[in-house]
Amino acid sequence: MQKLLLFIDKLSTWLGQFFAWSIVGLTALISWEVFSRYVVGAPHAWAFDVMLMFYGILFMMAGAYTLSKNGHVRGDVLYGFFPPRLQAGLDLTLYIVFFIPGVLALCYAGWSYAGESWAIKEHSSIMADGPPIYPFKTFIPFAGAILLLQGFVEIVRCAICLKDGAWPSREEDVEEVDVEKLKEMVHVKDEDIAKLDAYVVKEGAAK
Amino acid sequence: MSKGIWFGLSIMAIIVVGTLIAMPSPSQMTQGHMGLLMLSLVVVAIMLGFPTAFTLMGMGMLFAFAAYYMQNRVVEGAMNQTLDLMVSRAWSVMNNDVLISIPLFVFMGYLVERANLIEKLFKSLHLALARVPGSLAVATLVTCAIFATATGIVGAVVTLMGLLALPAMLKAGYNVKVAAGAITAGGCLGILIPPSVMLIVYGATAGVSVVQLYAGAFFPGIMLTLLYIGYMIIVAKIKPEWAPPLTAEQRFVELPPHAAQVRSVTGSTNALSGFLRAVRANQIAVAERRKVARDLLLMFLPAIAFVILMGLTWNSLTKPNVVTDTSELQEMGGAVDTSGSDAGGLAAPPGADTAPSGLTALPAEEPKAKDEAPTGLTALPAEEPKAQDSAPSGLSPLSTEGPKAAASGPSDLSPPPGDGAKEKPAQAPKAADKPAEKAKPAEAPAAKEMQRLPAPDAFWWVLGVGLLGLAVLFALFSYERVEIYKMLLTSFFPLAVLILAVLGTIVFGLATPTEAAAIGSYGGFGLAAVYMLVKEPPERMRRILKTWAPLFVAAIVAVIWFLLWKFEVLASGPPAWVGWISVAATTVWCVMATLQVKLIGTVRESVYLTAKTSAMVCWLFVGSSIFSAAFALLGGQEIIERWVLSLGLTPVQFMILAQAIIFLLGWPLEWTEIIVIFMPIFIPLLAKFNIDPLFFGLLVALNLQTAFLSPPVAMAAFYLKGVAPPHVTLNQIFLGMIPFMMIQVVALVLLYTFPQIGLWLPQVLYK
């Protein structure tokens, strides 16, 4: 069981990170298209559709990855002050009430939506002679399924937390604000910060 | 559990119970009532701290089902409709051509952040602003504004400034509260000043053009920054003990050996005359002289840039209407071609045959200049003369402008590496106005049949003011200032250019936000590559630069050619093969740079972070669009509309009410949630009150600045606390932020009273 959960965690992270690289593809494609269109004067009709695909795949597939790293925005005015058990209890309830039905529905609806698209081998209609979009639509149920799996892992996390009274640790990942790394980047050490205290205290005393 | 939690929970309970009581009994319940119930429940559900995207998705689904069921009373049909609704909403977010620029801007931000130029930026700005009262705080604000605008990442900016500026300010004897306020307020500016992600999200939600929002938010953003700076200066004046001026020691700039030598040898206090005399009189060693020459060239960059800019503007302003006669244009192009090749291959490849020589001539000057910036700019002037060349007779000796001399100097007169370059630019400031004036009569015959149009007066005013500014600049250049200027050149200007280029192309309609963002990401990558390169040992750096130079040249040639064509100096754009060569060159460069300076780690981190941030915003969009669809289905919008209209508010009152609500929402919620959930409720009301959604968006953007600074979810404060010395308390930080919040409110009032601050630019540009 434990192994399976870790596997799912790894899977969604891996998938998310794999498809995250499409941002590089997106940047390259648009830069190239800009060059081609403005400098050389040879625009491509399909470029717009492909851009949207890169972008759509990027964020859809990163949904589970973000969930596994606890990266989705929360209203944490109160949540942040709750003890872990209460947090876990609330999360568990809401996963079951909101998350599972919502994502399950998205997944199921996406499945038939993509199926219809496959059946007619749908092509994009934004431009004449658009590229095929049925593979792109397939990403809706695919991303939904991964998200659902990750949701189950999160539910188990909540259960573990309810039992132990502390959140199980998550795997390390790059963070937006990695204080240690930033300190290294600007060559500031902890001692330096500690030394600064003298100035703060002195000022306080002077008052 | 503490009292606060009980307090929060009981408020939630009161909301739920209150709504339930206010609801009529289930038998009489209409759909609209359900909509209101939904709205009040979602506020509570968000407070519970579950990821908002999924709260909205789940709730939207449940209520959409309820709505469909209440319409038909058929379970299966309602289910199918709900499923259809959900997937079509998700699909519309995946196909949203406004949101697509979010990952690109975010990616650009992460790349720029990791280019690690904030340390240099802060240091150079604090030295440059040393004489301003409260200089450290002002420098902090400016650094924050620039850096946060380029990156758009509040947390990282506040943390970095907490590590750099806070120690500097505390050591200089600044009051803790003042220091903390400047850092936190400054760090949040990036979310307002375009290109910002918040405006894209608003644009996507409200259906307002992002381009107009960017144009509109530009001046309010600048205004807020200036208000902050003004406040800091006033504080420093009134309460010097809170923000003491820098001591001479803190202002000290160490001169490099060659500058020190020049000063002692020539005895001149003005760097310009000192350097010029030192070069001419052969008073110092050759090796030092080379550095002096390089400094001189750098000092003339603003003048060169100004002359080129004014030249191009003048050219396009006075260009006769070519619509009537295109053959003339082509003839002119022909003339350019021949004169271009006459100029000795330096003038880049006008035709196929001269191209190889252009390619060889340019790399030749690349290593000499050593720096990246000058090559870009010397390459530019190299082509500039072509405009004048089309009038061979008009080229009087004097009107051989500064830039031409500067550019052709190094490559033509190679033996004394800088001599040619220094001599002629020396006359540039004096001569600069002459060529401009002379050019007018001189060019006239060149155009033969085509009469040059007279340039508008505004042009001459700008020219005059610019020249005056340049003269003042050169008069003020002391050796220390040259050092500071050089530091600014490597830290402040690249960022400023990146931001202005991205913003400029968007605002002037040259490119869509998506395109500009992609190019910006590219620029961010380039910036990171160059800054990583500078950190390498000099030997290796030189070696790598040699491999980069030819690749750059190919791309720069194509871009300059393109620009000249766009400014109507050249008659035709670059041929396709030049373009393809440059695309190939840039691609090769990207791969090479990634490998050579070990960028791969940086890029990987940026990629992963981009994915997470975009997923956060875009999934929130998926959730909220399902939610708002359900809300609309239930007709909640109509009830709210009817209720608001029944209050009989005037537009002004409505506006104030709306802003007050958003202000209050900013306390517990983050900006993403506020915009994505609550804007769809406000936006339809705007039409009823004849309020411009663009103007409303600007007010909201300014208003949401307060959301970052208002406790208890003021993220900025917590980031700062994380890196502050232990005795700096959260309370001190919060207290420091309060004056800045007041200023935000003042800015809001100002913008409201004088809407032209925001609306002027969009109106000028898009009407």
Side-chain angles (χ1 to χ4, degrees):
Chain A
M1 184 67 188
Q2 191 74 24
K3 263 191 191 151
L4 182 71
L5 293 179
L6 279 178
F7 172 75
I8 294 174
D9 233 14
K10 282 224 176 74
L11 178 75
S12 52
T13 304
W14 188 84
L15 277 172
Q17 293 187 338
F18 177 79
F19 285 104
W21 286 98
S22 60
I23 182 67
V24 175
L26 184 63
T27 310
L29 174 73
I30 300 181
S31 304
W32 178 70
E33 172 66 12
V34 164
F35 202 92
S36 178
R37 176 181 306 167
Y38 293 101
V39 179
V40 184
H44 302 90
W46 49 265
F48 184 68
D49 280 298
V50 179
M51 280 176 209
L52 286 176
M53 287 182 200
F54 269 125
Y55 146 79
I57 293 172
L58 167 73
F59 91 82
M60 286 300 278
M61 291 311 294
Y65 168 44
T66 312
L67 186 65
S68 83
K69 303 299 174 215
N70 198 11
H72 282 291
V73 62
R74 290 166 179 271
D76 49 7
V77 204
L78 294 167
Y79 186 81
F81 299 103
F82 289 160
R85 275 220 169 90
L86 183 57
Q87 287 182 342
L90 283 174
D91 271 4
L92 185 64
T93 321
L94 293 182
Y95 267 116
I96 293 168
V97 176
F98 290 146
F99 184 93
I100 300 290
V103 177
L104 197 62
L106 185 71
C107 212
Y108 176 76
W111 179 257
S112 53
Y113 192 63
E116 284 163 21
S117 180
W118 274 90
I120 56 165
K121 293 275 182 277
E122 189 182 2
H123 280 238
S124 167
S125 54
I126 300 177
M127 301 279 171
D129 204 15
I133 51 168
Y134 47 90
F136 183 32
K137 282 192 175 175
T138 317
F139 274 92
I140 302 178
F142 185 35
I146 305 290
L147 193 60
L148 196 61
L149 281 179
Q150 187 61 42
F152 284 123
V153 175
E154 297 301 314
I155 287 177
V156 175
R157 276 220 173 90
C158 293
I160 294 175
C161 178
L162 273 181
K163 203 176 84 195
D164 298 348
W167 283 104
S169 64
R170 288 177 191 273
E171 270 190 63
E172 295 264 315
D173 192 42
V174 271
E175 283 183 33
E176 185 172 287
V177 183
D178 187 336
V179 175
E180 290 310 314
K181 218 169 210 167
L182 292 178
K183 275 181 193 162
E184 204 179 297
M185 200 164 111
V186 293
H187 322 291
V188 175
K189 293 190 195 70
D190 287 333
E191 303 96 83
D192 302 340
I193 298 180
K195 264 185 228 156
L196 280 175
D197 237 9
Y199 295 98
V200 183
V201 176
K202 195 167 67 190
E203 191 182 298
K207 251 181 250 165
Chain B
M1 276 200 281
S2 67
K3 277 180 203 158
I5 294 165
W6 283 118
F7 176 70
L9 283 178
S10 45
I11 284 187
M12 284 192 225
I14 290 171
I15 294 177
V16 175
V17 172
T19 327
L20 287 178
I21 292 173
M23 288 289 138
S25 64
S27 54
Q28 294 170 337
M29 223 155 122
T30 63
Q31 291 201 349
H33 291 122
M34 291 278 283
L36 291 185
L37 179 70
M38 177 177 175
L39 199 60
S40 66
L41 280 184
V42 84
V43 173
V44 173
I46 288 170
M47 297 287 189
L48 288 178
F50 191 68
T52 315
F54 303 113
T55 309
L56 291 171
M57 190 192 281
M59 207 166 232
M61 186 191 72
L62 296 179
F63 278 90
F65 176 77
Y68 283 126
Y69 181 73
M70 283 167 84
Q71 279 165 9
N72 302 334
R73 307 275 163 189
V74 187
V75 174
E76 201 169 322
M79 198 114 107
N80 283 336
Q81 278 175 310
T82 313
L83 289 177
D84 279 351
L85 176 88
M86 285 184 73
V87 75
S88 68
R89 293 278 109 186
W91 177 243
S92 74
V93 176
M94 286 168 81
N95 266 315
N96 192 316
D97 58 347
V98 177
L99 291 177
I100 187 173
S101 37
I102 288 181
L104 290 162
F105 274 118
V106 170
F107 189 47
M108 165 181 150
Y110 285 122
L111 282 172
V112 171
E113 185 217 327
R114 278 163 174 67
N116 195 7
L117 38 62
I118 192 168
E119 199 172 2
K120 219 168 178 184
L121 181 65
F122 177 60
K123 197 164 171 231
S124 54
L125 278 173
H126 124 226
L127 289 173
L129 297 168
R131 294 199 178 274
V132 179
S135 64
L136 272 175
V138 174
T140 304
L141 285 170
V142 177
T143 312
C144 281
I146 299 270
F147 195 70
T149 304
T151 63
I153 312 162
V154 174
V157 178
V158 172
T159 309
L160 279 169
M161 288 314 279
L163 289 168
L164 288 171
L166 190 64
M169 284 197 264
L170 290 180
K171 278 180 197 158
Y174 273 58
N175 180 292
V176 179
K177 281 175 235 157
V178 171
I183 292 173
T184 44
C188 300
L189 279 170
I191 215 77
L192 171 64
I193 305 176
S196 81
V197 173
M198 171 155 75
L199 293 171
I200 303 178
V201 175
Y202 178 84
T205 318
V208 180
S209 136
V210 175
V211 179
Q212 295 204 10
L213 278 171
Y214 275 9
F218 185 68
F219 283 114
I222 303 264
M223 176 185 76
L224 188 61
T225 317
L226 289 179
L227 284 175
Y228 285 170
I229 291 174
Y231 166 75
M232 276 325 307
I233 292 178
I234 292 171
V235 164
K237 278 275 175 210
I238 297 176
K239 287 236 176 203
E241 68 272 20
W242 278 9
L246 293 179
T247 58
E249 193 188 327
Q250 284 161 329
R251 285 207 306 254
F252 180 71
V253 184
E254 197 184 355
L255 288 182
H258 68 273
Q261 206 182 345
V262 168
R263 177 154 66 176
S264 61
V265 171
T266 62
S268 165
T269 48
N270 183 291
L272 182 64
S273 67
F275 280 155
L276 284 175
R277 251 189 276 167
V279 166
R280 214 182 293 172
N282 288 355
Q283 279 164 324
I284 52 174
V286 176
E288 298 293 297
R289 261 202 290 162
R290 230 178 244 187
K291 281 185 192 152
V292 173
R294 193 191 60 193
D295 279 5
L296 266 179
L297 186 67
L298 290 177
M299 282 166 69
F300 276 107
L301 277 183
I304 295 170
F306 181 70
V307 169
I308 292 172
L309 201 69
M310 292 313 278
L312 288 176
T313 318
W314 180 81
N315 186 56
S316 54
L317 277 178
T318 59
K319 192 99 178 167
N321 258 343
V322 277
V323 192
T324 49
D325 195 353
T326 38
S327 65
E328 205 54 58
L329 194 77
Q330 269 161 1
E331 231 176 77
M332 193 178 159
V336 167
D337 268 12
T338 49
S339 66
S341 48
D342 280 351
L346 213 215
D353 46 344
T354 49
S357 66
L359 280 171
T360 48
L362 280 169
E365 56 174 274
E366 193 95 27
K368 261 178 251 159
K370 275 184 192 107
D371 220 287
E372 219 208 313
T375 54
L377 278 147
T378 47
L380 207 86
E383 297 210 34
E384 158 71 357
K386 269 190 283 176
Q388 265 71 23
D389 278 0
S390 56
S393 61
L395 272 179
S396 69
L398 236 181
S399 70
T400 318
E401 295 180 11
K404 191 191 178 184
S408 58
S411 57
D412 282 348
L413 323 165
S414 33
D419 264 6
K422 303 151 227 155
E423 292 279 323
K424 285 175 193 168
Q427 314 166 350
K430 282 168 263 163
D433 49 346
K434 284 185 191 163
E437 278 165 359
K438 270 205 177 157
K440 202 181 169 192
E443 289 268 331
K448 285 174 205 148
E449 297 93 330
M450 299 192 286
Q451 278 292 313
R452 282 277 180 189
L453 305 170
D457 283 349
F459 173 79
W460 301 111
W461 276 110
V462 172
L463 185 71
V465 170
L467 287 176
L468 199 70
L470 282 177
V472 171
L473 179 73
F474 283 117
L476 283 178
F477 260 142
S478 66
Y479 298 98
E480 284 83 6
R481 289 213 177 96
V482 171
E483 281 311 299
I484 296 172
Y485 165 74
K486 271 164 37 189
M487 284 170 74
L488 283 175
L489 208 56
T490 53
S491 58
F492 175 77
F493 285 96
L495 268 188
V497 167
L498 183 68
I499 298 170
L500 289 180
V502 168
L503 198 57
T505 46
I506 297 173
V507 165
F508 289 106
L510 301 176
T512 64
T514 317
E515 289 163 349
I519 301 293
S521 302
Y522 214 84
F525 176 81
L527 217 59
V530 170
Y531 276 82
M532 293 287 271
L533 178 69
V534 174
K535 273 195 261 166
E536 300 276 336
E539 255 321 292
R540 193 174 142 68
M541 182 174 122
R542 224 160 286 153
R543 234 181 19 246
I544 295 177
L545 256 188
K546 265 180 206 153
T547 59
W548 286 7
L551 297 173
F552 279 150
V553 170
I556 289 172
V557 164
V559 168
I560 290 172
W561 192 334
F562 171 71
L563 285 179
L564 285 179
W565 172 48
K566 280 283 150 178
F567 275 97
E568 302 179 354
V569 177
L570 292 182
S572 64
W577 62 269
V578 174
W580 296 129
I581 287 179
S582 60
V583 166
T586 12
T587 316
V588 172
W589 175 75
C590 278
V591 176
M592 265 172 60
T594 313
L595 297 175
Q596 279 172 330
V597 293
K598 302 178 200 78
L599 261 179
I600 189 74
T602 307
V603 174
R604 187 193 296 129
E605 283 182 9
S606 310
V607 164
Y608 293 168
L609 288 172
T610 306
K612 284 201 279 188
T613 308
S614 329
M616 189 262 276
V617 176
C618 295
W619 275 97
L620 192 60
F621 245 93
V622 173
S624 82
S625 62
I626 294 173
F627 178 83
S628 46
F631 189 62
L633 271 178
L634 287 168
Q637 188 63 44
E638 282 157 40
I639 293 207
I640 290 196
E641 250 178 65
R642 227 180 301 140
W643 178 71
V644 171
L645 290 178
S646 74
L647 291 179
L649 295 174
T650 63
V652 180
Q653 286 168 330
F654 169 73
M655 197 86 131
I656 292 172
L657 179 74
Q659 296 302 330
I661 291 174
I662 293 166
F663 180 82
L664 289 178
L665 286 173
W667 291 63
L669 298 178
E670 288 190 33
W671 65 265
T672 35
E673 294 158 333
I674 298 177
I675 291 188
V676 164
I677 303 169
F678 293 96
M679 281 312 116
I681 299 170
F682 282 112
I683 301 296
L685 291 170
L686 296 181
K688 301 267 187 282
F689 288 100
N690 271 329
I691 296 169
D692 183 3
L694 170 66
F695 181 54
F696 190 75
L698 299 182
L699 286 175
V700 170
L702 200 54
N703 196 339
L704 285 180
Q705 283 278 306
T706 57
F708 285 95
L709 296 188
S710 53
V713 271
M715 299 188 308
F718 292 98
Y719 285 123
L720 183 61
K721 173 69 185 147
V723 291
H727 278 86
V728 174
T729 59
L730 260 180
N731 271 345
Q732 276 174 315
I733 299 177
F734 281 139
L735 281 177
M737 292 186 322
I738 287 177
F740 288 93
M741 268 178 77
M742 305 280 186
I743 297 176
Q744 286 166 350
V745 176
V746 170
L748 201 58
V749 173
L750 274 179
L751 179 60
Y752 185 76
T753 331
F754 308 102
Q756 287 305 314
I757 299 171
L759 295 179
W760 176 77
L761 194 58
Q763 277 169 2
V764 167
L765 287 174
Y766 311 115
K767 262 167 200 171

